């Protein structure tokens, strides 16, 4: 990508100012270009193609530059949204990326996977006008991608902050850990990130398929942190390979625990131990991280002709769309509520439908059946109807008496949630842990019961979005820095 500086900057600025609010609000929201469904189910290429420069500039002109931008309050990492968007409008794409980088360690990732429709875009003033909000996520992706492509042709070595002589450690290289590491490196700390798996990136690598988040994008963000001085150590399990005491004795002044929620949940129904029933964690890790099904990789993974994915979140959508790419002729979502209650992003549901995924809503599995070889061959589902709202605000599913049917399947992927990774909580006896297995922290500072140990992301929340985990990392970095500076 090449930045166009041929036109006079003052002319562009005067054109921008000349646009009235009426003209801006009359511009229709941009549509994200994407690969055709019949092609994308045959490969692992990224579905969304990204905006062109003219599309991004046009969409940026929709921003009204509100005096009190509520979109920023909807962002867990407090990105200066009007600031980066106005840079795009001025065609200063690199400047837009720098605004993003000042608060977000992973803008190219967030632009792809964050639920902007429930966060920043949900606060856009256009919603009050009954119009579609500014496509903040699309613009974030555009700016971050532009900078990455520009850097390939114009490599620059970032200047590192002068070290303050203090070392801090991070357990886990997912979004919370990476966000924390980036902020602490910028503050002058020597940061070491310990990752249990053989690749850096955590859930960004093992949990999200490349058709939604390419590894190239994740690697580029990680390389940016390396350039800031962050050190990454893979194949190292904190709590097993090295202990908390080892970290303290090695001279680290603080530890941020971001070990995630890698313990899958199951429903506890009859037949759940049959061959051909697995968690979404195992299924996606084998394929995304270990290369199952790809040429040159020996990792096995079960394939099915008729695949059912139980659940309605983004991980369920990732699993069922992956099953289509693994050759499933029939791939279905089985969800106990209606589609309106699904926590998955609207875009992911739409893409799944385009790819031929069937949606069996208001259905709840109650039993699995197996063939003579012990492999699942069918599932019995209970038809449901919606009752009163529960604590989450969603209407609770209620069984319809006698409405049970049998559906033939030969692979079932269970995606009904995860629990916190118990390894670190079990390894540190002084650490306060909740009944759910999450690390107990002060929500404002992310500090645990151990003064120099902070935690964030799924190990605290039990399950969170990428951007919420990143917000935890940023809060923990600020709080740990304040504490260490005062000592």
């Amino acid at each position: 990508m090449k930045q166009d500086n041929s036109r006079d900057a003052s002319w562009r600025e005067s054109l921008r100012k000349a646009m009235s609010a009426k003209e801006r609000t009359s511009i229709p929201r941009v549509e994200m270009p994407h690969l055709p469904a019949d092609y994308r189910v045959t490969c692992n290429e990224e579905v969304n193609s990204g905006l062109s420069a003219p599309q991004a500039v046009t969409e940026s002109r929709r921003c009204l530059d509100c005096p009190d931008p509520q979109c920023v309050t909807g962002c867990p990492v407090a990105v200066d949204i009007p600031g980066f968007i106005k840079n795009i409008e001025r065609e200063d794409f690199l400047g837009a990326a720098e605004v993003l980088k000042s608060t977000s360690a992973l803008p190219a990732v967030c632009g792809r996977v964050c639920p902007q429709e429930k966060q920043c875009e949900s606060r856009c003033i256009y919603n009050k006008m009954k119009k579609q909000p500014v496509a903040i996520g699309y613009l974030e992706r555009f700016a971050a991608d532009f900078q990455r492509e520009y850097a390939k042709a114009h490599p620059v070595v970032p200047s590192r902050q002068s070290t303050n002589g203090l070392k801090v450690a991070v357990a886990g290289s997912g979004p919370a850990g990476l966000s924390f590491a980036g902020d602490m490196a910028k503050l002058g700390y020597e940061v070491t990130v310990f990752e249990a798996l053989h690749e850096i990136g955590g859930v960004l690598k093992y949990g999200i398929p490349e058709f939604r988040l390419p590894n190239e994008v994740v690697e580029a963000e990680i390389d940016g942190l390396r350039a800031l001085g962050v050190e990454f150590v893979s194949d190292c399990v904190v709590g097993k390979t090295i202990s908390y005491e080892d970290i303290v004795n090695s001279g680290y002044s603080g530890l941020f625990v971001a070990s995630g929620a890698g313990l899958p949940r199951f429903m506890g129904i009859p037949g759940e131990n049959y061959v051909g029933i697995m968690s979404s964690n195992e299924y996606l890790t084998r394929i995304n991280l270990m290369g199952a099904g790809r040429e040159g990789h020996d990792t096995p993974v079960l394939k099915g002709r008729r695949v059912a994915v139980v659940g309605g979140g983004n991980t369920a959508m990732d699993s069922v769309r992956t099953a289509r790419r693994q050759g499933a002729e029939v791939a279905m979502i089985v969800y106990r509520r209606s589609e309106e209650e699904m926590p998955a992003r609207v875009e992911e549901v739409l893409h799944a439908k385009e790819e031929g995924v069937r949606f069996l809503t208001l259905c709840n599995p109650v039993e699995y059946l197996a063939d003579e070889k012990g492999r699942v061959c069918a599932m019995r589902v209970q038809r449901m109807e919606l009752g009163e709202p529960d604590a989450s605000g969603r209407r609770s599913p209620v069984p319809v008496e006698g409405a049970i049917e049998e559906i033939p399947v030969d692979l079932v992927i269970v995606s009904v949630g995860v629990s916190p990774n118990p390894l670190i909580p079990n390894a540190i006896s002084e650490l306060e842990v909740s009944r759910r297995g999450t690390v107990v922290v002060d929500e404002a500072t992310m500090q645990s019961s151990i003064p120099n140990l902070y935690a964030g992301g799924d190990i605290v929340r039990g399950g969170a979005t990428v951007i919420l985990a990143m917000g935890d990392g940023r809060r923990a970095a600020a709080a740990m820095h304040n504490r260490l500076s005062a000592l």
Side-chain angles (χ1 to χ4, degrees):
M1 299 171 96
K2 182 180 179 182
Q3 188 158 5
D4 180 13
N5 291 317
S6 59
R7 287 182 289 172
D8 181 75
S10 61
W11 178 83
R12 293 200 304 270
E13 183 70 6
S14 63
L15 176 64
R16 183 186 70 83
K17 290 180 177 178
M19 289 189 69
S20 66
K22 183 176 181 180
E23 289 173 314
R24 291 178 184 277
T25 57
S26 67
I27 300 172
R29 177 178 162 120
V30 69
E31 293 187 8
M32 172 63 76
H34 57 267
L35 299 176
D38 57 350
Y39 170 74
R40 67 192 193 226
V41 295
T42 67
C43 64
N44 216 30
E45 293 179 26
E46 186 174 12
V47 170
N48 285 340
S49 307
L51 303 183
S52 66
Q55 285 178 312
V57 171
T58 299
E59 180 63 21
S60 70
R61 288 174 179 160
R62 298 182 67 227
C63 179
L64 299 176
D65 199 11
C66 305
D68 182 21
Q70 290 301 300
C71 55
V72 176
T73 67
C75 175
V77 297
V79 165
D80 178 6
I81 293 170
F84 95 81
I85 290 179
K86 288 306 168 183
N87 272 339
I88 292 177
E89 185 176 352
R90 288 188 284 269
E91 298 181 34
D92 180 7
F93 305 145
L94 295 176
E98 287 305 315
V99 172
L100 287 164
K101 285 281 190 179
S102 67
T103 53
S104 173
L106 310 168
V109 171
C110 293
R112 286 169 164 82
V113 304
C114 285
Q116 290 93 5
E117 69 275 10
K118 296 178 182 178
Q119 294 174 332
C120 55
E121 292 182 14
S122 73
R123 308 286 184 89
C124 180
I125 196 170
Y126 275 91
N127 292 300
K128 294 183 178 180
M129 304 177 192
K130 306 299 182 183
K131 293 176 179 285
Q132 288 186 303
V134 174
I136 298 169
Y138 294 172
L139 293 175
E140 179 178 24
R141 170 186 168 151
F142 169 81
D145 285 358
F146 183 92
Q147 185 184 56
R148 186 178 68 255
E149 293 300 320
Y150 183 87
K152 291 178 181 179
H154 307 82
V156 176
V157 178
S159 58
R160 298 187 182 184
Q161 294 285 346
S162 56
T163 179
N164 59 18
L166 297 177
K167 299 194 302 180
V168 294
V170 184
S173 67
L178 295 178
S179 182
F180 173 89
D183 277 13
M184 292 301 274
K186 290 175 184 176
L187 290 167
Y189 292 85
E190 296 178 36
V191 184
T192 303
V193 178
F194 298 101
E195 169 55 50
L197 298 175
H198 63 284
E199 286 197 25
I200 306 302
V203 70
L204 304 176
K205 284 283 188 70
Y206 73 76
I208 305 178
E210 285 206 79
F211 59 76
R212 197 153 72 91
L213 178 61
N215 283 344
E216 176 193 11
V217 173
V218 180
E219 283 297 332
E221 304 280 44
I222 292 169
D223 285 344
L225 294 176
R226 285 194 178 100
L228 288 173
V230 177
E231 180 184 356
F232 293 95
V233 179
S234 59
D235 299 307
C236 185
V237 185
V238 174
K240 191 169 186 179
T241 310
I242 59 172
S243 67
Y244 169 67
E245 289 74 18
D246 291 334
I247 289 173
V248 173
N249 293 336
S250 296
Y252 290 94
S253 300
L255 169 65
F256 178 63
V257 176
S259 50
L263 190 65
R265 293 180 192 160
F266 286 89
M267 299 175 66
I269 61 178
E272 219 165 28
N273 290 326
Y274 288 139
V275 176
I277 301 174
M278 69 179 76
S279 70
S280 55
N281 270 33
E282 178 184 355
Y283 184 67
L284 292 174
T285 298
R286 284 178 176 272
I287 294 169
N288 296 340
L289 188 67
M290 303 170 72
R294 295 205 295 268
E295 188 175 348
H297 294 268
D298 296 327
T299 303
V301 69
L302 287 175
K303 296 186 179 182
R305 189 178 67 83
R306 294 181 60 87
V307 180
V309 176
V310 182
N314 288 324
T315 303
M317 298 305 148
D318 287 342
S319 299
V320 77
R321 295 174 67 196
T322 296
R324 284 285 287 129
R325 286 159 174 78
Q326 289 285 314
E329 296 173 17
V330 177
M332 62 194 97
I333 285 286
V334 181
Y335 183 58
R336 63 185 186 140
R337 289 183 165 98
S338 71
E339 186 176 320
E340 288 69 29
E341 280 77 33
M342 277 187 178
R345 297 189 67 189
V346 173
E347 182 180 69
E348 301 310 316
V349 173
L350 174 61
H351 284 171
K353 288 181 176 180
E354 291 173 348
E355 293 166 8
V357 172
R358 300 180 185 178
F359 282 70
L360 278 63
T361 55
L362 292 171
C363 287
N364 197 38
V366 293
E367 184 182 6
Y368 298 110
L369 306 177
D371 60 20
E372 64 279 0
K373 295 182 179 179
R375 176 158 179 170
V376 66
C377 65
M379 65 190 308
R380 288 196 175 120
V381 297
Q382 167 74 62
R383 283 286 172 184
M384 313 293 283
E385 60 185 2
L386 294 180
E388 295 301 314
D390 62 12
S392 71
R394 295 180 296 174
R395 295 173 65 192
S396 300
V398 179
V400 177
E401 188 175 351
I404 294 179
E405 58 185 277
E406 196 171 293
I407 300 170
V409 295
D410 54 7
L411 180 62
V412 176
I413 301 161
V414 181
S415 184
V416 295
V418 289
S419 297
N421 190 321
L423 212 161
I424 291 179
N426 290 344
I428 306 175
S429 58
E430 303 89 351
L431 189 62
E432 185 181 354
V433 180
S434 74
R435 287 183 298 176
R436 297 187 301 127
T438 58
V439 175
V440 176
V441 298
D442 180 304
E443 292 185 9
T445 64
M446 312 308 292
Q447 186 179 38
S448 75
S449 56
I450 299 175
N452 68 342
L453 191 153
Y454 294 67
D458 289 353
I459 191 67
V460 168
R461 296 176 178 271
T465 62
V466 167
I467 193 67
L468 284 174
M470 289 176 62
D472 289 349
R474 294 209 74 207
R475 280 199 304 282
M480 185 184 288
H481 172 62
N482 288 339
R483 178 178 179 274
L484 294 177
S485 298
L487 294 178

